[in-house]
Amino acid sequence: MAHLHDSGYKYLFSHAELVQELLEAFAPPGVSELLDYTTLRLENGNYVTPAMKPRADDVVWSVELQGQRVYLYLLLEFQSTPDDAMPARMLQYVAALYDHLLRSKAVDIADGLPPVLPIVLYNGDARWRQSSEVYDLICAHPPVLKPFQPQLKFWLLDEAAFAAAELEDMHRVVAAIFCFEHTPDTAAARRAIRNLAEAIAQSPFKQRLDRVLAHWVKYRLKSRMPGLVTPDAEELTKGMHMLETNIDRWEAQAIAKGIQQGMQRGEALLLQRQLIRRFGELSAVQQARLAAATPAQLEIWGDRVLDAQSLDEVFGDTRH
């Protein structure tokens, strides 16, 4: 299955339970144990950057750390390839967040600006090997200028950097989500969904997350497997058996359809060679008609090849 960009991540990480899961399993070492997750608060992430571009696709949370409120800027990045300029982009987004907090009087500059933990959640297929520090983007300069250069580093979560077995061994909901996002085929997708259901069943937030993930999984499967019938169950753990059965049916139908289409393409190519041999090269329009022809049309045209005196006679009206 090809990787597809998924705006559903904003839906997922707008739930405090999944943000807590994300930080508990993947935050920088030493951070998670300092956070008071009961104070997680979803902040307004819809504001305009200095470049006058609205930022509506990212998620901003705040949480108390040792009595101090800090901000978590979660940048959801769905590019197919890593972005060399990401540190500069993140610097701009964090600056825009500070500007928003000051303008809205959510913070008082006299008390100091709150710390920010910038996180880039990247789910592209290519591994991210670019720097996460803005200072690394700045060209060589005299040491005397170093104190005046911007310093910012984001925490990178590159989903593809984790092996499927490693994610499964975590027994965490977010780890199972990452695993599901990078399944290469339907067999791996079924395994990942089972792993996700097992992680939900073990989660202290089971009742809440079961419904959230059921909605998201159905949404993702419909984009990956067009025509798949998903069960009506509102909880993933309760609809697992039916979902796996429907995936098996969808796969069988897809294989049968692929075989049929392959045979049809073969018939079209054979007919094309016969037509070229009798009448010479085909026009672009005639080639397009062959490519789009139904099995019935190919059969009629194939019969006409033997007796037709021209291509016009072959491609004449096929209605009976």
Side-chain angles (χ1 to χ4, degrees), residues 210 231-245:
D210 212 349
D232 293 332
E234 292 189 6
E235 295 180 3
L236 183 64
T237 52
K238 291 184 178 179
M240 273 300 302
H241 178 71
M242 180 61 71
L243 183 57
E244 288 187 303
T245 299

Side-chain angles (χ1 to χ4, degrees), residues 252-313:
Q253 292 170 354
I255 292 173
K257 184 177 180 180
I259 292 174
Q260 182 180 6
Q261 290 176 339
M263 293 174 62
Q264 187 172 331
R265 282 196 296 270
E267 292 174 2
L269 288 173
L270 176 60
L271 178 56
Q272 179 174 311
R273 288 197 296 270
Q274 292 174 330
L275 291 170
I276 291 174
R277 186 168 182 177
R278 280 212 64 195
F279 303 110
E281 290 298 321
L282 307 182
S283 68
V285 172
Q286 291 164 340
Q287 292 180 40
R289 290 190 67 184
L290 277 175
T294 65
Q297 286 176 318
L298 291 174
E299 183 178 355
I300 294 172
W301 294 341
D303 290 339
R304 290 177 178 176
V305 169
L306 300 176
D307 303 317
Q309 299 302 310
S310 68
L311 285 171
D312 288 339
E313 288 186 25

